Amino acid sequence: MDWREYAVPDCPPSIYYVPNFITEEEETSILQAISKTPKPRWTQLSNRRLINYGGIPHPKGMIAEDMPVWLTQYVMRINQLNIFEQGIEANHVLVNEYLPGQGIMPHLDGPLFYPTIATISCGSHTVLEYDRQIEMGPSDNTSLVRESVTKVLIEPCSLLVVKEDMYHKYFHSIKEQEQDTIDGNIANLRLLSKGKLGDVLPRGTRVSLTIRHVPKTSKMKIKIF
């Protein structure tokens, strides 16, 4: 599978959407493994909960941790696709769990990570929105506003790869709502495995595995499992 053949059309470079990247059986296995995660491993936020695997990124460097076996196979699969530059491999996974109606505010992932991410989605769809920040008003009194750039519908079992300009320049977010409508603003409409214009999709519980590389990492690993 060459992920480069799945470039999302009609939006800034570089974003790729691969439907059915994992099987439904693999999706079930992932969700079962995550459901068994001890509660203390979760970090509860106001709009979602999350787990860091591989370590906790920090400006002074990430203290590396071993990942669970069930997760390692998916990290290896991403590394085999050569999504990162030669010699760079994923060493961190952020697991996010979103309940129906939950989302995340517009943000950039920032300089702690190599500017390429690969996200495997499980459980439910969502819509990822991209905005750019522009200055408005006279030169002596400008204000920053965000302007919508594109929307991407993320299906269960899919893979999303985000690189370069789409990583550096464009804020991404998920609106806090309980359903989404497939409209003409969905940039990856032609790449979807199912669904058509006008469909209304109720959200369920979504779990995402965001697989990435943290450059500044200690060589010593600790085991937590």
PDB file of all heavy atoms in Angstrom, residues 1 27 31 50 90 199 207:
ATOM      1  N   MET A   1       0.842  -1.198   0.000  1.00  0.00           N
ATOM      2  CA  MET A   1       0.000   0.000   0.000  1.00  0.00           C
ATOM      3  C   MET A   1       0.880   1.251   0.000  1.00  0.00           C
ATOM      4  O   MET A   1       1.748   1.405   0.838  1.00  0.00           O
ATOM      5  CB  MET A   1      -0.897  -0.005   1.244  1.00  0.00           C
ATOM      6  CG  MET A   1      -1.999   1.051   1.225  1.00  0.00           C
ATOM      7  SD  MET A   1      -1.466   2.688   1.798  1.00  0.00           S
ATOM      8  CE  MET A   1      -1.165   2.370   3.527  1.00  0.00           C
ATOM      9  N   GLU A  27      -9.737  -3.381  14.562  1.00  0.00           N
ATOM     10  CA  GLU A  27     -10.380  -2.295  15.292  1.00  0.00           C
ATOM     11  C   GLU A  27     -10.958  -2.799  16.613  1.00  0.00           C
ATOM     12  O   GLU A  27     -10.759  -2.174  17.673  1.00  0.00           O
ATOM     13  CB  GLU A  27     -11.486  -1.677  14.439  1.00  0.00           C
ATOM     14  CG  GLU A  27     -12.258  -0.574  15.144  1.00  0.00           C
ATOM     15  CD  GLU A  27     -13.522  -0.182  14.394  1.00  0.00           C
ATOM     16  OE1 GLU A  27     -14.154  -1.064  13.786  1.00  0.00           O
ATOM     17  OE2 GLU A  27     -13.876   1.001  14.439  1.00  0.00           O
ATOM     18  N   LEU A  31      -9.843  -1.642  20.456  1.00  0.00           N
ATOM     19  CA  LEU A  31     -10.802  -1.105  21.418  1.00  0.00           C
ATOM     20  C   LEU A  31     -10.852  -1.963  22.681  1.00  0.00           C
ATOM     21  O   LEU A  31     -10.986  -1.442  23.798  1.00  0.00           O
ATOM     22  CB  LEU A  31     -12.181  -1.002  20.775  1.00  0.00           C
ATOM     23  CG  LEU A  31     -12.308   0.034  19.653  1.00  0.00           C
ATOM     24  CD1 LEU A  31     -13.677  -0.072  18.980  1.00  0.00           C
ATOM     25  CD2 LEU A  31     -12.092   1.455  20.179  1.00  0.00           C
ATOM     26  N   LEU A  50      -7.173  10.948  27.601  1.00  0.00           N
ATOM     27  CA  LEU A  50      -6.049  10.545  26.761  1.00  0.00           C
ATOM     28  C   LEU A  50      -5.034   9.717  27.549  1.00  0.00           C
ATOM     29  O   LEU A  50      -5.008   9.730  28.783  1.00  0.00           O
ATOM     30  CB  LEU A  50      -5.381  11.768  26.134  1.00  0.00           C
ATOM     31  CG  LEU A  50      -4.833  12.858  27.064  1.00  0.00           C
ATOM     32  CD1 LEU A  50      -3.429  12.533  27.548  1.00  0.00           C
ATOM     33  CD2 LEU A  50      -4.844  14.213  26.365  1.00  0.00           C
ATOM     34  N   ALA A  90       8.624   6.234  14.336  1.00  0.00           N
ATOM     35  CA  ALA A  90       7.695   6.657  15.381  1.00  0.00           C
ATOM     36  C   ALA A  90       8.118   6.086  16.726  1.00  0.00           C
ATOM     37  O   ALA A  90       8.556   4.934  16.814  1.00  0.00           O
ATOM     38  CB  ALA A  90       6.283   6.190  15.035  1.00  0.00           C
ATOM     39  N   ASP A 199     -25.867  12.648   3.744  1.00  0.00           N
ATOM     40  CA  ASP A 199     -25.987  11.714   4.860  1.00  0.00           C
ATOM     41  C   ASP A 199     -25.726  12.422   6.184  1.00  0.00           C
ATOM     42  O   ASP A 199     -24.796  13.234   6.299  1.00  0.00           O
ATOM     43  CB  ASP A 199     -25.002  10.555   4.710  1.00  0.00           C
ATOM     44  CG  ASP A 199     -25.433   9.536   3.667  1.00  0.00           C
ATOM     45  OD1 ASP A 199     -26.556   9.669   3.146  1.00  0.00           O
ATOM     46  OD2 ASP A 199     -24.646   8.621   3.372  1.00  0.00           O
ATOM     47  N   VAL A 207     -12.039   6.478  19.322  1.00  0.00           N
ATOM     48  CA  VAL A 207     -10.688   6.355  19.871  1.00  0.00           C
ATOM     49  C   VAL A 207      -9.701   6.555  18.724  1.00  0.00           C
ATOM     50  O   VAL A 207      -9.819   5.903  17.683  1.00  0.00           O
ATOM     51  CB  VAL A 207     -10.467   4.981  20.533  1.00  0.00           C
ATOM     52  CG1 VAL A 207      -9.003   4.796  20.907  1.00  0.00           C
ATOM     53  CG2 VAL A 207     -11.352   4.833  21.766  1.00  0.00           C
TER      54      VAL A 207
END
